[in-house]
Amino acid sequence: MHSRIAGTGSYLPAHILTNHDLARQIDTSDAWIRARTGIHERRIAAPGEQTSDLALHAARAALGAAGLAAADVDLIVVATTTPDMVFPATACILQSKLGAKNGPAFDVQAVCSGFVYALTLADKMVASGAVRNALVVGAEIYSRILDWNDRGTCVLFGDGSGAAVLVPSADPGILSSHLHADGSYRDMLSVPGSLSEGQVIGTPFVRMDGGAVFKFAVKALADVAREALAANELSSDAIDWIVPHQANIRIIEATAKKLDVPMTRVVTTVDRHANTSAASIPLALDEAARDGRIAAGQHVMLLAVGGGFTWGSVLLRW
Ligand code: ACO
C-alpha cells in the first residue's frame, strides 16, 4: 500500500503589502528587496484572522479538489511555527472548524521544513493502513512574529496556507522522503522567546544570520535533492518539477544551478508570497497543480530547509 496526493488547496489573506508600502515605513527600497530576494509583495493576515482560519480555507479547497468531505478525514497534521495558541494544537482547532471528528490531529514544528515533515508522517500512516485519508496543512502568520523595525528580516516573510489530501493508493504517489535536522545550527535562525509566569522571556521576533542561512540553505537543498535522486536511481533530468521552499529567489536559483535543473522546471511564488515558512511549498504546489503545469505521471520534487536547522525532500509521482 502507498499514498498519493488526491487534491491540493491554498489560501492567501486579502491584504497585500508591497515593497513600496514597506519603504514608506522603514529604511528600505523596492529595488533592494527585489534584487536581494526576488520578493515584490506579501500577504498579511487580518487582525482577527488566526492560523487555523487560513488553514481552514486551504483545507476546504484541498478536500474539494480530492472530492472528499470533512467526515472522510481520518488524520489532520498541521505544520506551523505560528500556532493559534500554546495549546491546543492548531490541528485540533482546524478539526473542529472543519467539522471533522475522531481521527488524530496534531501539529508539526519543523519551521520552513514543516510541510515536508508533516507530509512524510502522514504518508507513513496512510501507507501502513493506520489511517485512510489524511489532511496535511502548512499554515503561517509570520507577520505576528516579525520585528517590523528590523529591515533585515521583516521584508522577507508573508502569511498564507496550503494543504494536500493524501489517500491510499495501489501505485506509489509518494516515492520517497528524506528528512534531516542538526540542532547545532539552532541559533542561525530562531525566535528565541518563551512564555513564563505570564511574561514573554527573551525575544518573540525572528532573529537570523542571513548570510549563514543563505549558504546553509543552498547546500542542504542540493544535498537532499541528490540524496533523493540516488535513492530512486534517477538523474535530475527525470525531475519534471522542483517545488522548493520559497525563501529567496537567489537561494532557489543557486540550488537549481547546482542540480543542473533549468528555472523553467522550478515552481516559484516567492515574488508574490515572500517566505511563508511551512506554507510556502503547499502554496506553490497548489498553484502549479491548478494551473496545469504539473501533469499526471510527472515527477515532482519538494525541497525544504528551515530553522532548527531542518531540511528534507519528498519525491512524488503525480
Ligand atoms: N533594505 C535595504 N538595505 C538593507 C535591508 C533592507 N531590507 N536589509 C539589510 N540591508 C543592508 C544591510 O544593513 C547592509 O548594509 P551595510 O552594507 O551598510 O552594512 C547591506 O544591506 C547588505 O546586507 P547583507 O546582509 O550583506 O545583504 P545580503 O546581500 O546578504 O542580503 C539577505 C541579505 C537578503 C537577508 C540574504 O542574506 C538572504 O537572503 N539570506 C537568506 C535569508 C533567508 O532567506 N531567510 C529566510 C528564512 S530561512 C529559510 O526560510 C530557510
Side-chain angles (χ1 to χ4, degrees):
M1 180 112 81
H2 303 279
S3 85
R4 68 177 174 87
I5 292 181
T8 60
S10 60
Y11 172 76
L12 292 164
H15 178 58
I16 297 174
L17 182 71
T18 67
N19 293 346
H20 294 290
D21 296 331
L22 278 171
R24 282 189 283 275
Q25 297 163 21
I26 51 168
D27 182 14
T28 190
S29 66
D30 176 57
W32 192 97
I33 301 170
R34 277 181 193 244
R36 296 300 222 283
T37 71
I39 297 165
H40 303 181
E41 61 186 42
R42 71 287 290 143
R43 300 299 181 104
I44 304 294
E49 253 178 336
Q50 297 297 325
T51 297
S52 61
D53 297 318
L54 273 56
L56 180 63
H57 289 290
R60 284 189 175 141
L63 285 169
L68 293 177
D72 301 320
V73 174
D74 307 311
L75 165 70
I76 299 179
V77 190
V78 173
T80 187
T81 315
T82 50
D84 285 17
M85 53 187 77
V86 173
F87 71 80
T90 303
C92 294
I93 301 171
L94 172 64
Q95 186 201 46
S96 152
K97 289 183 177 176
L98 202 54
K101 283 221 181 294
N102 296 327
F106 59 90
D107 290 356
V108 162
Q109 214 312 15
V111 201
C112 304
S113 307
F115 184 77
V116 158
Y117 267 59
L119 195 62
T120 299
L121 290 175
D123 168 51
K124 305 295 179 207
M125 289 182 76
V126 171
S128 72
V131 299
R132 190 166 166 78
N133 305 316
L135 174 64
V136 184
V137 186
E140 301 278 16
I141 303 185
Y142 259 60
S143 59
R144 295 184 191 152
I145 56 166
L146 296 173
D147 175 354
W148 288 99
N149 293 312
D150 176 11
R151 67 180 183 171
T153 52
C154 76
V155 303
L156 300 174
F157 296 91
D159 303 337
S161 63
V165 172
L166 279 184
V167 298
S169 171
D171 300 318
I174 294 188
L175 298 172
S176 70
S177 302
H178 294 89
L179 302 181
H180 299 279
D182 186 340
S184 67
Y185 292 98
R186 64 189 179 279
D187 294 334
M188 215 156 67
L189 177 65
S190 62
V191 177
S194 61
L195 293 177
S196 177
E197 298 176 357
Q199 308 268 326
V200 175
I201 310 296
T203 307
F205 301 121
V206 172
R207 290 282 172 264
M208 179 184 76
D209 177 348
V213 168
F214 194 106
K215 283 189 210 102
F216 187 97
V218 173
K219 183 172 184 320
L221 292 170
D223 284 353
V224 82
R226 289 190 184 116
E227 182 182 22
L229 291 173
N232 290 279
E233 298 181 355
L234 293 172
S235 77
S236 62
D237 292 346
I239 304 304
D240 297 288
W241 294 103
I242 291 181
V243 184
H245 171 49
Q246 308 283 318
N248 181 318
I249 196 68
R250 289 159 59 219
I251 292 177
I252 295 172
E253 285 171 350
T255 304
K257 195 170 171 202
K258 273 186 167 235
L259 296 172
D260 212 10
V261 172
M263 284 300 288
T264 48
R265 300 206 325 257
V266 181
V267 179
T268 62
T269 55
V270 67
D271 54 333
R272 290 158 288 124
H273 301 172
N275 182 347
T276 58
S277 194
S280 92
I281 289 176
L283 267 161
L285 183 65
D286 184 48
E287 187 172 289
R290 280 175 190 266
D291 70 19
R293 267 178 287 173
I294 298 178
Q298 289 188 330
H299 284 128
V300 180
M301 186 183 275
L302 314 183
L303 291 177
V305 60
F309 252 69
T310 56
W311 64 104
S313 73
V314 170
L315 184 67
L316 306 158
R317 187 176 299 123
W318 201 253

